[in-house]
Amino acid sequence: MNAGELEQYRTDLALAYAGTGSFHPAETPLGEVTAGIREMISSYLTDAEVFYQREDLVNEYAALLYVHGWFDAALYLGYIEGKSPDPLLPGDLIIPCDLHDRLVEKHDRYDQMLRDALGSIEVAPETGSPLYAAATFIRKKGEDAVRNESSVAAYVSELGSLSYGYGWIDAGLRAGLFRITANPHLFTTETDR
């Protein structure tokens, strides 16, 4: 994959999001959650565009996969309706040599952050509830994103997986499926802590 493919992915993701709809009235709690999810998706699509303009492939890629996690979680939970493109999890994104240190730093930081985030939440809905099943599914998405490979060659695809999984976790938290038990600074939601 190259910068052109990443640009196409950003375009495909933005077009897919633009084609979504939602049916929750804005004045309802579900409407408020939908609005918050939409705000996050829009914000990170904008961030990805800024990173593209700066030719920062590492941050552009991480932002796109993070927003894609939010997008897919919102579709799964029924907050929006539409169709998602396949996540772009390459094995061979060409990262310029001057960005390798940034890639390694970002990968290692996101890996630790996601591990800490998973240890800082608990499923909120009661066992047997459809929302409990949704929360455990989303938690598994986050857990599956954490890998134990140490090859620098795998860092690009792992960074994508970590970002995508974190997007699912943050969207699930925004939807009220998790309780934060520690480290609220790791999440993109407001808390009373």
Side-chain angles (χ1 to χ4, degrees):
M1 181 179 74
N2 58 39
E5 288 175 292
L6 194 56
E7 181 179 1
Q8 184 62 53
Y9 175 57
R10 182 172 36 81
T11 300
D12 291 347
L13 193 56
L15 288 173
Y17 175 63
T20 64
S22 60
F23 44 88
H24 303 294
E27 66 278 359
T28 67
L30 292 177
E32 288 181 36
V33 172
T34 302
I37 288 171
R38 285 188 169 284
E39 180 182 344
M40 289 301 297
I41 292 171
S42 295
S43 294
Y44 275 86
L45 283 171
T46 300
D47 288 351
E49 174 68 28
V50 170
F51 294 133
Y52 167 74
Q53 297 296 330
R54 293 180 184 165
E55 297 182 4
D56 183 347
L57 292 177
V58 173
N59 282 317
E60 179 187 5
Y61 181 63
L64 286 172
L65 268 294
Y66 179 71
V67 76
H68 203 149
W70 274 86
F71 184 71
D72 284 353
L75 288 169
Y76 169 75
L77 292 168
Y79 286 103
I80 59 174
E81 55 186 358
K83 184 161 175 25
S84 173
D86 290 331
L88 186 60
L89 299 171
D92 61 349
L93 174 62
I94 299 169
I95 297 292
C97 290
D98 61 329
L99 294 179
H100 281 198
D101 288 344
R102 180 177 294 160
L103 171 64
V104 170
E105 182 277 327
K106 191 166 200 80
H107 168 278
D108 292 350
R109 185 166 37 94
Y110 276 32
D111 180 72
Q112 190 59 55
M113 284 173 56
L114 183 54
R115 288 173 192 273
D116 290 347
L118 289 166
S120 299
I121 58 172
E122 60 184 29
V123 171
E126 292 296 320
T127 306
S129 160
L131 293 178
Y132 177 86
T136 57
F137 178 83
I138 290 174
R139 183 179 178 87
K140 179 116 174 65
K141 285 286 195 181
E143 291 168 350
D144 289 349
V146 177
R147 301 178 184 169
N148 293 311
E149 298 176 40
S150 59
S151 164
V152 174
Y155 272 27
V156 174
S157 61
E158 286 183 18
L159 176 60
S161 291
L162 292 165
S163 300
Y164 182 72
Y166 217 133
W168 274 86
I169 295 296
D170 272 339
L173 184 64
R174 182 68 57 101
L177 299 179
F178 303 110
R179 264 189 298 281
I180 299 173
T181 59
N183 301 311
H185 65 280
L186 294 173
F187 305 99
T188 58
T189 191
E190 288 123 33
T191 64
D192 292 334
R193 294 173 189 235

